[in-house]
Amino acid sequence: MQGELHEECGVFGVYHLPGAANLTYLGLHALQHRGQESAGIAVSDGDSIRCRKGHGLVTEALSSQKLAELTGENAVGHVRYSTAGGGEWENIQPLLVRAKMGSLAAVHNGQIANARELREELEEQGSIFSSSSDSEILLHLIQRGRGSLLEKLQDACRRLEGAFAFLVLTEQSLYAIRDCNGLRPLSVARRGQGYCVSSESCAFHLIEAEEVRELEPGEILKFTAGGMESHRYTADTRHRLCAMEYVYFARPDSDIEGRNVHSLRRRTGRLLARGDKDLKADMVVGVPDSSLSAAMGYSEGSGLPFEMGLIKNRYVGRTFIQPTQELRDSGVKMKLAANRSAVEGKRLVLLDDSIVRGTTSRRIVRLLKEAGAREVHLRIASPPLRYPCFYGVDISTQEELISARLSVPELCRFVGADSLRFLTEQEMQEAYGGEDFCFACFDGRYVTRV
């Protein structure tokens, strides 16, 4: 839907588990919310690596026939929404290379902030890139490194700036890497005698794996026949998880850095309600799905009933073509329907997670008013998005962020709401329990050179 945020991708890996391809398929299915453009799996049988991938959802990209061709106990998988690099076939991950050291398959969640200068440097040294994805840079840096593969990975990661959670598969081993600021989440779990690695813990639930812990910033976990080894590529680390993981990207049933996503979102709703003691309203409505937890919290904090005022259509095709303006304008109505019997004649408090370009918010407010809502008071469970992101979120310029151009009263008039209020930065820190996050898209304080 136009105006929504998108995160680059999700990664999932398996080591020393029979049926690794099927387990990875299930893990990617649980991470489908992190990317719907393409999916792929690479599997090692101990001697070689095979890769199968395709455009679309996991079920579209990876048929049962493709899965049957992937035999082995070690695997990495990827679901993608493209930010750096387009949706061409060459950019679909895993990226598989065959070199003198052996075969490598890599998957990446995040975005390399210094990708352009690294790419230019590598090309001047003779590297030839087969994709426009920034993820391929790691493979070229490994190829030019010295020492063991672990040492090459350590040297390569020290040159990367930005956000990355990498999984690198060889014929015999699996490496999991998290950037030195911990911008993107990455966790490890046990299942039987083997291990799983995932962008989110919700994927572990589906395959009945038990989470062990999250990778620390700057950590490399190496999985071999001897077990799991922890290494570091730098001692200069910080905990600066991207706040948008909690605001929007992660599934409500995931736990990230010791915090349950649903519980934290619900807390933001209660804080918004705390500032609305004088607001007269009849009910609370959340925009499905990522805002429902905040709406529940607002209901608890305000004493107003939580109602299903908006119904999500689960069967809208991801690739629906909108060739005319009339069809484009119908996009919100195809995804969301107002529950007229619930909202007609009522004063609503509408909870949403964020406002990006403003067009979706305006259409949702109009949808509710056309269904007979008397008033719509819009509450946003995050501060205004005013700065571009260079760490894997598809907001690359300030011009596309409406809060960078309009004041809150102006934005309220633009979306057609009767009132509008955002969560403040101080309230966000209170809800999240501290300042150990990247809030750059809200306050412009980037955690790396950009």
Side-chain angles (χ1 to χ4, degrees):
M1 186 162 26
Q2 184 183 5
E4 289 183 342
L5 285 169
H6 294 281
E7 208 268 349
E8 189 170 351
C9 56
V11 299
F12 191 85
V14 166
Y15 188 80
H16 191 49
L17 288 172
N22 291 330
L23 290 173
T24 304
Y25 179 92
L26 293 173
L28 294 181
H29 193 274
L31 299 175
Q32 185 73 86
H33 58 286
R34 299 184 73 89
Q36 298 88 43
E37 285 192 2
S38 62
I41 296 174
V43 175
S44 167
D45 61 6
D47 297 315
S48 63
I49 298 176
R50 285 187 174 186
C51 182
R52 297 292 182 269
K53 53 190 178 181
H55 290 288
L57 304 175
V58 173
T59 53
E60 298 166 334
L62 298 166
S63 64
S64 56
Q65 180 180 345
K66 287 183 179 180
L67 289 177
E69 297 168 352
L70 298 174
T71 58
E73 294 190 346
N74 310 326
V76 293
H78 190 267
V79 290
R80 184 169 192 264
Y81 178 88
S82 59
T83 56
E88 296 84 2
W89 178 268
E90 310 86 68
N91 292 328
I92 300 176
Q93 299 185 27
L95 300 177
L96 176 61
V97 296
R98 307 190 191 279
K100 183 178 180 180
M101 73 179 78
S103 298
L104 295 177
V107 293
H108 170 213
N109 172 28
Q111 191 169 352
I112 307 305
N114 61 334
R116 180 180 297 177
E117 61 188 73
L118 286 174
R119 188 183 184 102
E120 290 175 355
E121 175 190 321
L122 288 164
E123 287 179 339
E124 288 174 0
Q125 294 172 355
S127 292
I128 298 174
F129 285 78
S130 61
S131 75
S132 58
S133 169
D134 62 339
S135 308
E136 190 180 351
I137 291 170
L138 176 72
L139 296 173
H140 285 275
L141 290 173
I142 292 171
Q143 179 66 15
R144 292 186 170 275
R146 295 180 178 179
S148 66
L149 178 56
L150 174 62
E151 290 169 330
K152 292 179 179 182
L153 283 169
Q154 289 170 321
D155 290 342
C157 290
R158 280 192 281 267
R159 300 213 56 200
L160 302 178
E161 297 177 12
F164 55 89
F166 274 110
L167 299 182
V168 178
L169 179 70
T170 73
E171 286 93 344
Q172 301 288 337
S173 55
L174 173 68
Y175 296 82
I177 312 161
R178 193 177 184 196
D179 71 78
C180 63
N181 293 296
L183 284 158
R184 294 288 156 224
L186 196 61
S187 299
V188 61
R190 286 294 302 262
R191 188 181 192 271
Q193 299 303 308
Y195 295 91
C196 304
V197 185
S198 177
S199 292
E200 289 185 41
S201 62
C202 63
F204 299 144
H205 308 158
L206 182 59
I207 63 169
E208 298 180 343
E210 183 177 354
E211 185 173 8
V212 175
R213 64 177 179 88
E214 295 183 73
L215 274 75
E216 290 294 317
E219 184 177 20
I220 300 177
L221 286 183
K222 179 182 179 181
F223 301 90
T224 67
M228 182 176 72
E229 304 171 6
S230 175
H231 303 270
R232 296 278 178 168
Y233 72 84
T234 180
D236 184 15
T237 63
R238 295 183 295 173
H239 282 270
R240 290 293 185 270
L241 180 75
C242 171
M244 292 306 297
E245 290 286 348
Y246 289 119
V247 172
Y248 181 81
F249 298 131
R251 245 175 56 167
D253 55 334
S254 286
D255 295 325
I256 303 177
E257 296 196 340
R259 301 171 176 90
N260 176 256
V261 175
H262 165 70
S263 298
L264 194 147
R265 288 177 182 169
R266 191 166 64 180
R267 201 178 306 157
T268 63
R270 288 199 295 267
L271 289 173
L272 282 167
R274 188 177 67 183
D276 274 346
K277 293 180 180 178
D278 297 327
L279 179 66
K280 305 298 182 183
D282 301 307
M283 66 175 63
V284 182
V285 173
V287 178
D289 286 314
S290 56
S291 306
L292 297 182
S293 299
M296 292 176 192
Y298 192 101
S299 173
E300 293 166 356
S302 65
L304 296 172
F306 169 67
E307 293 286 351
M308 295 295 291
L310 290 167
I311 309 300
K312 187 173 184 178
N313 181 0
R314 310 275 173 190
Y315 305 101
V316 176
R318 172 192 55 84
T319 56
F320 175 72
I321 298 171
Q322 301 171 327
T324 67
Q325 186 62 44
E326 182 181 2
L327 287 175
R328 282 192 290 270
D329 290 341
S330 299
V332 169
K333 288 185 178 180
M334 291 190 67
K335 278 198 170 184
L336 293 174
N339 186 355
R340 181 176 292 272
S341 64
V343 305
E344 191 170 16
K346 300 295 195 305
R347 299 167 296 181
L348 312 180
V349 180
L350 176 65
L351 268 291
D352 206 352
D353 50 69
S354 57
I355 295 180
V356 185
R357 298 167 183 88
T359 52
T360 297
S361 299
R362 180 167 63 177
R363 289 168 184 165
I364 293 173
V365 170
R366 184 191 305 155
L367 184 68
L368 289 167
K369 290 199 170 184
E370 287 174 351
R374 205 165 92 206
E375 297 174 4
V376 177
H377 300 274
L378 184 57
R379 297 295 179 265
I380 307 299
S382 64
L385 288 165
R386 293 196 173 106
Y387 299 90
C389 177
F390 303 99
Y391 305 132
V393 184
D394 70 333
I395 43 175
S396 57
T397 65
Q398 252 183 327
E399 287 72 22
E400 58 192 309
L401 299 173
I402 196 167
S403 290
R405 297 183 280 114
L406 300 183
S407 66
V408 173
E410 290 171 335
L411 183 52
C412 183
R413 289 192 292 272
F414 175 81
V415 301
D418 292 273
S419 70
L420 169 64
R421 194 162 66 80
F422 290 85
L423 196 73
T424 67
E425 292 178 29
Q426 292 74 25
E427 288 171 330
M428 173 172 266
Q429 291 173 10
E430 180 180 347
Y432 287 17
E435 301 179 8
D436 292 340
F437 299 91
C438 176
F439 295 127
C441 54
F442 307 120
D443 61 20
R445 296 198 293 264
Y446 296 99
V447 301
T448 69
R449 180 177 64 96
V450 295

